[in-house]
């Protein structure tokens, strides 16, 4: 079975959880901030991603907190999730280095 | 405080399957309301009364619901069986389009003497093609169906979806043009073809999502030349003789092919030891429903000819008998299909 690459949305959600647990809307806000407003997760997309990451063992529920009479569920990265995020970040950084080099941006920045 | 808005959101979330709502609904409602409410009771009361779920939110929930009902790896058995069955139905319909497309290309090449070793095609095989820009569109669309089928089999779902949406537009334009200018020769047949065999399968391509297991490449890819050689070529040969009396029309051919497939699959469906036979039974039952509906709507073409009506009804009867052989297995499939585990996750490029 072919391995599947991580989607952009999954990458942003994992990144949003990298510095601590967050609840659903907290993740939406953090992803919007991280992406400079380019990625605005709708509820169907968010829970599609959370469901998949949870099934793959990359995130897990952290705790539930009552807020204005509603229960907020917080999610956190698992050890596998941390590893997967680090690996993906490294891959993206390596790709970005190649792109910058091919566009001549690295030389310009150095110069 | 959030009563009205919460009710509206819960109504939208009813689109999702029950098992999914049980797991995620409270969390989803909390996340949705967090996006609106400010913590100021007065403002929140106003917002709760006035705010409505946006169309984008509703669409995203509908998309999620479609992906869950037509489940992939890790989905509950029932939804996985439906997902697999719908994916096979879509592939089968795309295969039909691809074989038709291949047929058009081969016939065109033959009539233009590309196959120099073949004699010129008989007059009975010379079809009337549209002229001008429509001729180009006609060829492009026929090639597109082959590309769509191959892209789906190879797992390029997004490419297949985009091309498929574009491929069904020219037919719609032609149908609307014929309808509005009054040149449409028959009222229901072409529309039934477009709705049942073009629009519906393209919409059902939602079943090809990230969690969908890949199609078995080899058999599906081989099915294209096999379908052409075993179905299209014999029909072409009969057509070449100029004797059309023995040829079923296209809706009839669809009924007969699905009936034959049901008969071929029936021994497997009746042997309970055959693993995974139920998904094929469910797929064949769905295909029979599509072919049967197409046959029924196309009957209006023959209202003037009782003989053709009788032939069509006989085709329908054969289809019903054949599908009755696999329908019990299809019903069992919804509870008996094991879903494979979710995909292992790696950071492939």
């Amino acid at each position: 079975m072919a391995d599947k690459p991580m989607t952009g949305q999954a990458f942003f959600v994992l990144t949003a959880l990298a510095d601590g647990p967050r609840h659903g809307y907290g993740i939406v806000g953090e992803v919007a901030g991280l992406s400079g407003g380019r990625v605005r997760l709708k509820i169907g997309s968010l829970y599609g991603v959370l469901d998949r990451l949870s099934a793959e063992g990359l995130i897990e529920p952290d705790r539930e907190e009552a807020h204005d009479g509603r229960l907020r569920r917080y999610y956190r990265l698992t050890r596998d999730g941390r590893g997967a995020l680090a690996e993906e970040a490294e891959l993206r950084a390596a790709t970005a280095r190649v792109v910058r080099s091919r566009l001549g941006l690295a030389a310009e920045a150095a110069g | 405080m959030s009563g009205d808005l919460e009710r509206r959101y819960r109504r939208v979330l009813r689109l999702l399957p029950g098992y999914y709502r049980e797991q995620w609904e409270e969390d989803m409602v909390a996340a949705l309301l967090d996006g609106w409410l400010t913590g100021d009771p007065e403002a929140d009361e106003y917002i709760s009364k006035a705010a409505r779920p946006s169309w984008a939110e509703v669409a995203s929930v509908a998309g999620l619901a479609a992906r869950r009902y037509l489940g992939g790896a890790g989905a509950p058995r029932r939804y996985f069986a439906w997902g697999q069955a719908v994916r096979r139905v879509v592939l089968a319909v795309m295969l039909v389009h691809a074989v038709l497309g291949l047929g058009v290309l081969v016939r065109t090449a033959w009539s233009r003497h590309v196959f120099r070793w073949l004699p010129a095609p008989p007059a009975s095989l010379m079809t009337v093609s549209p002229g001008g820009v429509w001729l180009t569109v006609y060829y492009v669309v026929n090639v597109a169906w082959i590309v769509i089928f191959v892209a789906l089999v190879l797992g390029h779902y997004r490419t297949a979806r985009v091309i498929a949406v574009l491929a069904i537009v020219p037919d719609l334009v032609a149908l609307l043009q014929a309808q509005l200018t009054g040149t449409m020769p028959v009222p229901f047949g072409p529309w039934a073809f477009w709705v049942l065999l073009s629009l519906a399968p393209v919409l059902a391509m939602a079943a090809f999502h990230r969690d969908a297991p890949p199609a078995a490449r080899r058999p599906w890819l081989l099915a294209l030349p096999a379908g052409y050689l075993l179905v299209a070529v014999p029909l072409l040969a009969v057509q070449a003789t100029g004797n059309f009396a023995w040829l079923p029309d296209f809706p009839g051919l669809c009924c007969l092919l699905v009936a034959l497939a049901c008969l071929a699959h029936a021994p497997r469906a009746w042997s309970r030891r055959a693993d995974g036979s139920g998904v094929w039974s469910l797929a064949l039952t769905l295909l029979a429903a599509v072919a049967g509906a197409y046959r029924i709507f196309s009957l209006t073409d023959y209202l003037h000819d009782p003989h053709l009506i009788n032939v069509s009804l006989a085709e329908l009867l054969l289809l019903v008998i054949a599908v009755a052989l696999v329908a019990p297995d299809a019903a069992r499939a919804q509870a008996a299909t094991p879903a494979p585990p979710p995909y292992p996750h790696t950071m492939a490029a």
Side-chain angles (χ1 to χ4, degrees), chain A residues 7-55:
Chain A
T7 63
Q9 288 182 340
F11 179 66
F12 274 118
V13 168
L14 290 177
T15 307
L17 297 175
D19 60 349
R22 283 196 162 80
H23 56 76
Y25 189 66
I27 296 172
V28 173
E30 185 65 15
V31 167
L34 282 168
S35 64
R38 282 178 299 125
V39 180
R40 296 194 176 276
L41 288 174
K42 296 292 171 206
I43 208 74
S45 314
L46 171 67
Y47 282 88
V49 174
L50 288 180
D51 189 18
R52 193 164 57 240
L53 293 176
S54 175

Short mmCIF file of all heavy atoms in Angstrom, two decimals, chain A residues 7-55:
data_model
loop_
_atom_site.label_atom_id
_atom_site.label_comp_id
_atom_site.label_asym_id
_atom_site.label_seq_id
_atom_site.Cartn_x
_atom_site.Cartn_y
_atom_site.Cartn_z
N THR A 7 -1.06 16.22 4.20
CA THR A 7 -1.69 17.36 3.53
C THR A 7 -1.27 18.65 4.23
O THR A 7 -0.83 18.63 5.39
CB THR A 7 -3.22 17.25 3.59
OG1 THR A 7 -3.62 17.30 4.97
CG2 THR A 7 -3.72 15.97 2.97
N GLY A 8 -1.46 19.75 3.53
CA GLY A 8 -1.15 21.06 4.11
C GLY A 8 -1.97 21.31 5.37
O GLY A 8 -1.47 21.82 6.37
N GLN A 9 -3.25 20.93 5.31
CA GLN A 9 -4.12 21.17 6.47
C GLN A 9 -3.63 20.37 7.69
O GLN A 9 -3.57 20.90 8.80
CB GLN A 9 -5.56 20.76 6.14
CG GLN A 9 -6.23 21.73 5.17
CD GLN A 9 -7.67 21.34 4.89
OE1 GLN A 9 -8.07 20.19 5.10
NE2 GLN A 9 -8.44 22.28 4.39
N ALA A 10 -3.27 19.10 7.45
CA ALA A 10 -2.80 18.27 8.57
C ALA A 10 -1.51 18.86 9.15
O ALA A 10 -1.32 18.89 10.37
CB ALA A 10 -2.56 16.85 8.09
N PHE A 11 -0.63 19.36 8.26
CA PHE A 11 0.63 19.96 8.71
C PHE A 11 0.35 21.16 9.62
O PHE A 11 0.95 21.32 10.68
CB PHE A 11 1.45 20.37 7.48
CG PHE A 11 2.76 21.02 7.81
CD1 PHE A 11 3.78 20.32 8.44
CD2 PHE A 11 2.98 22.36 7.48
CE1 PHE A 11 4.99 20.92 8.74
CE2 PHE A 11 4.18 22.97 7.78
CZ PHE A 11 5.19 22.26 8.41
N PHE A 12 -0.58 22.01 9.19
CA PHE A 12 -0.90 23.20 10.00
C PHE A 12 -1.55 22.81 11.33
O PHE A 12 -1.26 23.42 12.36
CB PHE A 12 -1.84 24.13 9.21
CG PHE A 12 -1.10 25.07 8.31
CD1 PHE A 12 -1.28 25.05 6.94
CD2 PHE A 12 -0.21 26.00 8.84
CE1 PHE A 12 -0.58 25.91 6.11
CE2 PHE A 12 0.48 26.88 8.01
CZ PHE A 12 0.30 26.83 6.65
N VAL A 13 -2.43 21.80 11.31
CA VAL A 13 -3.09 21.39 12.56
C VAL A 13 -2.06 20.83 13.54
O VAL A 13 -2.05 21.19 14.72
CB VAL A 13 -4.21 20.35 12.28
CG1 VAL A 13 -4.69 19.71 13.58
CG2 VAL A 13 -5.38 21.01 11.55
N LEU A 14 -1.15 19.99 13.04
CA LEU A 14 -0.11 19.45 13.92
C LEU A 14 0.78 20.58 14.46
O LEU A 14 1.15 20.59 15.63
CB LEU A 14 0.75 18.42 13.18
CG LEU A 14 0.06 17.09 12.83
CD1 LEU A 14 1.00 16.19 12.03
CD2 LEU A 14 -0.38 16.35 14.09
N THR A 15 1.08 21.54 13.57
CA THR A 15 1.92 22.67 14.02
C THR A 15 1.20 23.48 15.09
O THR A 15 1.82 23.94 16.06
CB THR A 15 2.27 23.57 12.81
OG1 THR A 15 2.83 22.76 11.78
CG2 THR A 15 3.26 24.66 13.19
N ALA A 16 -0.12 23.63 14.92
CA ALA A 16 -0.90 24.40 15.90
C ALA A 16 -0.85 23.72 17.27
O ALA A 16 -1.01 24.39 18.31
CB ALA A 16 -2.35 24.53 15.42
N LEU A 17 -0.65 22.41 17.30
CA LEU A 17 -0.63 21.68 18.57
C LEU A 17 0.79 21.48 19.10
O LEU A 17 0.97 20.88 20.17
CB LEU A 17 -1.31 20.31 18.40
CG LEU A 17 -2.79 20.34 18.02
CD1 LEU A 17 -3.30 18.94 17.75
CD2 LEU A 17 -3.61 21.00 19.13
N ALA A 18 1.77 21.99 18.37
CA ALA A 18 3.17 21.69 18.72
C ALA A 18 3.57 22.32 20.05
O ALA A 18 4.39 21.77 20.78
CB ALA A 18 4.10 22.16 17.61
N ASP A 19 3.00 23.48 20.38
CA ASP A 19 3.43 24.14 21.63
C ASP A 19 2.44 23.93 22.77
O ASP A 19 2.51 24.60 23.78
CB ASP A 19 3.67 25.64 21.38
CG ASP A 19 2.41 26.35 20.91
OD1 ASP A 19 1.43 25.64 20.58
OD2 ASP A 19 2.40 27.59 20.89
N GLY A 20 1.51 23.01 22.60
CA GLY A 20 0.59 22.70 23.70
C GLY A 20 -0.78 22.33 23.20
O GLY A 20 -1.10 22.56 22.03
N PRO A 21 -1.62 21.75 24.07
CA PRO A 21 -2.96 21.32 23.65
C PRO A 21 -3.84 22.52 23.27
O PRO A 21 -3.67 23.61 23.82
CB PRO A 21 -3.50 20.63 24.91
CG PRO A 21 -2.32 20.33 25.76
CD PRO A 21 -1.32 21.40 25.47
N ARG A 22 -4.73 22.29 22.32
CA ARG A 22 -5.71 23.32 21.92
C ARG A 22 -7.05 22.65 21.66
O ARG A 22 -7.11 21.49 21.29
CB ARG A 22 -5.25 24.05 20.66
CG ARG A 22 -4.19 25.06 20.88
CD ARG A 22 -4.04 26.01 19.69
NE ARG A 22 -3.32 27.21 20.10
CZ ARG A 22 -1.99 27.27 20.22
NH1 ARG A 22 -1.26 26.21 19.94
NH2 ARG A 22 -1.41 28.39 20.62
N HIS A 23 -8.14 23.42 21.81
CA HIS A 23 -9.47 22.90 21.47
C HIS A 23 -9.78 23.26 20.02
O HIS A 23 -9.00 23.99 19.36
CB HIS A 23 -10.52 23.47 22.42
CG HIS A 23 -10.57 24.96 22.47
ND1 HIS A 23 -11.14 25.72 21.48
CD2 HIS A 23 -10.08 25.83 23.39
CE1 HIS A 23 -11.03 27.00 21.80
NE2 HIS A 23 -10.38 27.09 22.95
N GLY A 24 -10.92 22.76 19.51
CA GLY A 24 -11.26 22.90 18.10
C GLY A 24 -11.13 24.31 17.55
O GLY A 24 -10.39 24.55 16.60
N TYR A 25 -11.82 25.26 18.19
CA TYR A 25 -11.78 26.63 17.66
C TYR A 25 -10.40 27.26 17.85
O TYR A 25 -9.96 28.07 17.04
CB TYR A 25 -12.86 27.48 18.32
CG TYR A 25 -12.98 28.82 17.65
CD1 TYR A 25 -13.42 28.91 16.33
CD2 TYR A 25 -12.62 29.99 18.32
CE1 TYR A 25 -13.50 30.13 15.69
CE2 TYR A 25 -12.70 31.21 17.69
CZ TYR A 25 -13.14 31.28 16.37
OH TYR A 25 -13.22 32.48 15.74
N GLY A 26 -9.74 26.83 18.92
CA GLY A 26 -8.37 27.32 19.15
C GLY A 26 -7.46 26.90 18.00
O GLY A 26 -6.60 27.66 17.56
N ILE A 27 -7.65 25.70 17.52
CA ILE A 27 -6.84 25.21 16.39
C ILE A 27 -7.14 26.03 15.13
O ILE A 27 -6.23 26.45 14.41
CB ILE A 27 -7.12 23.71 16.13
CG1 ILE A 27 -6.68 22.88 17.34
CG2 ILE A 27 -6.40 23.24 14.87
CD1 ILE A 27 -7.09 21.41 17.28
N VAL A 28 -8.45 26.31 14.92
CA VAL A 28 -8.84 27.10 13.73
C VAL A 28 -8.12 28.45 13.75
O VAL A 28 -7.53 28.88 12.75
CB VAL A 28 -10.38 27.32 13.69
CG1 VAL A 28 -10.77 28.28 12.57
CG2 VAL A 28 -11.10 26.00 13.53
N GLY A 29 -8.15 29.12 14.92
CA GLY A 29 -7.52 30.44 15.05
C GLY A 29 -6.02 30.36 14.86
O GLY A 29 -5.43 31.19 14.16
N GLU A 30 -5.39 29.35 15.47
CA GLU A 30 -3.94 29.22 15.39
C GLU A 30 -3.50 28.94 13.94
O GLU A 30 -2.51 29.49 13.47
CB GLU A 30 -3.49 28.08 16.32
CG GLU A 30 -1.99 27.91 16.43
CD GLU A 30 -1.29 29.10 17.08
OE1 GLU A 30 -1.98 29.94 17.71
OE2 GLU A 30 -0.05 29.19 16.93
N VAL A 31 -4.27 28.08 13.26
CA VAL A 31 -3.92 27.76 11.86
C VAL A 31 -4.04 29.01 10.99
O VAL A 31 -3.18 29.28 10.15
CB VAL A 31 -4.82 26.61 11.33
CG1 VAL A 31 -4.70 26.48 9.81
CG2 VAL A 31 -4.45 25.30 12.00
N ALA A 32 -5.10 29.80 11.23
CA ALA A 32 -5.26 31.04 10.46
C ALA A 32 -4.07 31.95 10.71
O ALA A 32 -3.52 32.55 9.77
CB ALA A 32 -6.57 31.72 10.84
N GLY A 33 -3.64 32.05 11.98
CA GLY A 33 -2.49 32.89 12.31
C GLY A 33 -1.21 32.38 11.68
O GLY A 33 -0.45 33.14 11.08
N LEU A 34 -0.98 31.06 11.81
CA LEU A 34 0.26 30.45 11.27
C LEU A 34 0.37 30.64 9.76
O LEU A 34 1.46 30.80 9.23
CB LEU A 34 0.26 28.95 11.57
CG LEU A 34 0.62 28.50 12.98
CD1 LEU A 34 0.28 27.03 13.16
CD2 LEU A 34 2.10 28.74 13.24
N SER A 35 -0.77 30.60 9.10
CA SER A 35 -0.74 30.65 7.64
C SER A 35 -0.92 32.07 7.12
O SER A 35 -1.10 32.26 5.91
CB SER A 35 -1.85 29.75 7.06
OG SER A 35 -3.12 30.26 7.44
N GLY A 36 -0.90 33.03 8.02
CA GLY A 36 -1.11 34.42 7.60
C GLY A 36 -2.50 34.62 7.02
O GLY A 36 -2.69 35.44 6.11
N GLY A 37 -3.46 33.86 7.51
CA GLY A 37 -4.85 34.02 7.05
C GLY A 37 -5.16 33.26 5.78
O GLY A 37 -6.29 33.31 5.28
N ARG A 38 -4.18 32.55 5.22
CA ARG A 38 -4.44 31.85 3.95
C ARG A 38 -5.23 30.56 4.15
O ARG A 38 -5.95 30.14 3.27
CB ARG A 38 -3.12 31.55 3.23
CG ARG A 38 -2.55 32.77 2.51
CD ARG A 38 -1.22 32.45 1.85
NE ARG A 38 -0.23 32.04 2.82
CZ ARG A 38 0.44 30.89 2.76
NH1 ARG A 38 0.21 30.05 1.79
NH2 ARG A 38 1.34 30.59 3.68
N VAL A 39 -5.06 29.93 5.30
CA VAL A 39 -5.80 28.67 5.56
C VAL A 39 -6.84 28.94 6.64
O VAL A 39 -6.50 29.20 7.79
CB VAL A 39 -4.84 27.55 6.02
CG1 VAL A 39 -5.62 26.27 6.28
CG2 VAL A 39 -3.77 27.31 4.98
N ARG A 40 -8.10 28.96 6.23
CA ARG A 40 -9.19 29.13 7.19
C ARG A 40 -9.99 27.85 7.19
O ARG A 40 -10.78 27.60 6.28
CB ARG A 40 -10.06 30.33 6.79
CG ARG A 40 -9.31 31.63 6.86
CD ARG A 40 -10.23 32.85 6.80
NE ARG A 40 -9.45 34.08 6.97
CZ ARG A 40 -9.10 34.58 8.14
NH1 ARG A 40 -9.46 33.99 9.26
NH2 ARG A 40 -8.39 35.70 8.20
N LEU A 41 -9.75 27.04 8.22
CA LEU A 41 -10.39 25.72 8.28
C LEU A 41 -11.88 25.84 8.57
O LEU A 41 -12.27 26.49 9.54
CB LEU A 41 -9.74 24.88 9.38
CG LEU A 41 -8.32 24.37 9.13
CD1 LEU A 41 -7.78 23.69 10.39
CD2 LEU A 41 -8.32 23.39 7.97
N LYS A 42 -12.68 25.25 7.71
CA LYS A 42 -14.12 25.14 8.00
C LYS A 42 -14.30 23.93 8.90
O LYS A 42 -13.44 23.04 8.97
CB LYS A 42 -14.91 24.96 6.70
CG LYS A 42 -14.81 26.15 5.76
CD LYS A 42 -15.53 27.34 6.34
CE LYS A 42 -15.26 28.60 5.51
NZ LYS A 42 -15.40 29.81 6.32
N ILE A 43 -15.48 23.87 9.53
CA ILE A 43 -15.66 22.84 10.55
C ILE A 43 -15.56 21.42 9.97
O ILE A 43 -14.99 20.52 10.59
CB ILE A 43 -17.01 23.06 11.29
CG1 ILE A 43 -16.92 22.51 12.70
CG2 ILE A 43 -18.17 22.49 10.55
CD1 ILE A 43 -16.10 23.33 13.61
N GLY A 44 -16.08 21.24 8.75
CA GLY A 44 -16.02 19.91 8.13
C GLY A 44 -14.59 19.50 7.84
O GLY A 44 -14.20 18.35 8.06
N SER A 45 -13.79 20.46 7.38
CA SER A 45 -12.38 20.16 7.09
C SER A 45 -11.63 19.88 8.38
O SER A 45 -10.86 18.93 8.48
CB SER A 45 -11.71 21.31 6.37
OG SER A 45 -12.52 21.78 5.34
N LEU A 46 -11.87 20.73 9.40
CA LEU A 46 -11.15 20.59 10.67
C LEU A 46 -11.38 19.20 11.27
O LEU A 46 -10.42 18.50 11.63
CB LEU A 46 -11.60 21.66 11.66
CG LEU A 46 -11.06 21.47 13.09
CD1 LEU A 46 -9.56 21.68 13.14
CD2 LEU A 46 -11.75 22.43 14.06
N TYR A 47 -12.64 18.80 11.34
CA TYR A 47 -12.92 17.51 12.00
C TYR A 47 -12.56 16.33 11.11
O TYR A 47 -12.27 15.25 11.61
CB TYR A 47 -14.35 17.48 12.56
CG TYR A 47 -14.38 18.27 13.83
CD1 TYR A 47 -14.61 19.65 13.81
CD2 TYR A 47 -14.05 17.68 15.04
CE1 TYR A 47 -14.56 20.40 14.96
CE2 TYR A 47 -13.99 18.43 16.21
CZ TYR A 47 -14.24 19.79 16.17
OH TYR A 47 -14.16 20.54 17.31
N GLY A 48 -12.55 16.54 9.80
CA GLY A 48 -12.03 15.51 8.91
C GLY A 48 -10.56 15.26 9.21
O GLY A 48 -10.11 14.12 9.33
N VAL A 49 -9.81 16.37 9.39
CA VAL A 49 -8.37 16.25 9.68
C VAL A 49 -8.15 15.67 11.08
O VAL A 49 -7.34 14.76 11.28
CB VAL A 49 -7.68 17.63 9.55
CG1 VAL A 49 -6.23 17.55 9.99
CG2 VAL A 49 -7.76 18.14 8.13
N LEU A 50 -8.88 16.21 12.09
CA LEU A 50 -8.70 15.72 13.46
C LEU A 50 -9.01 14.23 13.56
O LEU A 50 -8.29 13.46 14.21
CB LEU A 50 -9.62 16.50 14.42
CG LEU A 50 -9.24 17.95 14.72
CD1 LEU A 50 -10.26 18.58 15.68
CD2 LEU A 50 -7.85 18.05 15.33
N ASP A 51 -10.08 13.82 12.87
CA ASP A 51 -10.50 12.42 12.87
C ASP A 51 -9.38 11.53 12.30
O ASP A 51 -9.03 10.50 12.86
CB ASP A 51 -11.77 12.32 12.00
CG ASP A 51 -12.41 10.96 12.11
OD1 ASP A 51 -12.10 10.24 13.06
OD2 ASP A 51 -13.21 10.62 11.23
N ARG A 52 -8.81 11.99 11.17
CA ARG A 52 -7.78 11.18 10.51
C ARG A 52 -6.49 11.14 11.36
O ARG A 52 -5.90 10.08 11.54
CB ARG A 52 -7.49 11.74 9.12
CG ARG A 52 -6.67 10.79 8.27
CD ARG A 52 -6.71 11.14 6.81
NE ARG A 52 -6.27 12.48 6.54
CZ ARG A 52 -6.98 13.42 5.98
NH1 ARG A 52 -8.19 13.18 5.59
NH2 ARG A 52 -6.49 14.62 5.76
N LEU A 53 -6.10 12.32 11.86
CA LEU A 53 -4.86 12.36 12.67
C LEU A 53 -5.02 11.51 13.93
O LEU A 53 -4.08 10.85 14.37
CB LEU A 53 -4.53 13.81 13.04
CG LEU A 53 -4.11 14.72 11.88
CD1 LEU A 53 -3.90 16.15 12.38
CD2 LEU A 53 -2.85 14.20 11.20
N SER A 54 -6.24 11.53 14.47
CA SER A 54 -6.51 10.74 15.67
C SER A 54 -6.44 9.25 15.34
O SER A 54 -5.84 8.46 16.07
CB SER A 54 -7.89 11.16 16.17
OG SER A 54 -8.28 10.39 17.21
N ALA A 55 -7.04 8.87 14.18
CA ALA A 55 -7.01 7.45 13.77
C ALA A 55 -5.57 7.00 13.50
O ALA A 55 -5.25 5.83 13.71
CB ALA A 55 -7.87 7.26 12.54
#
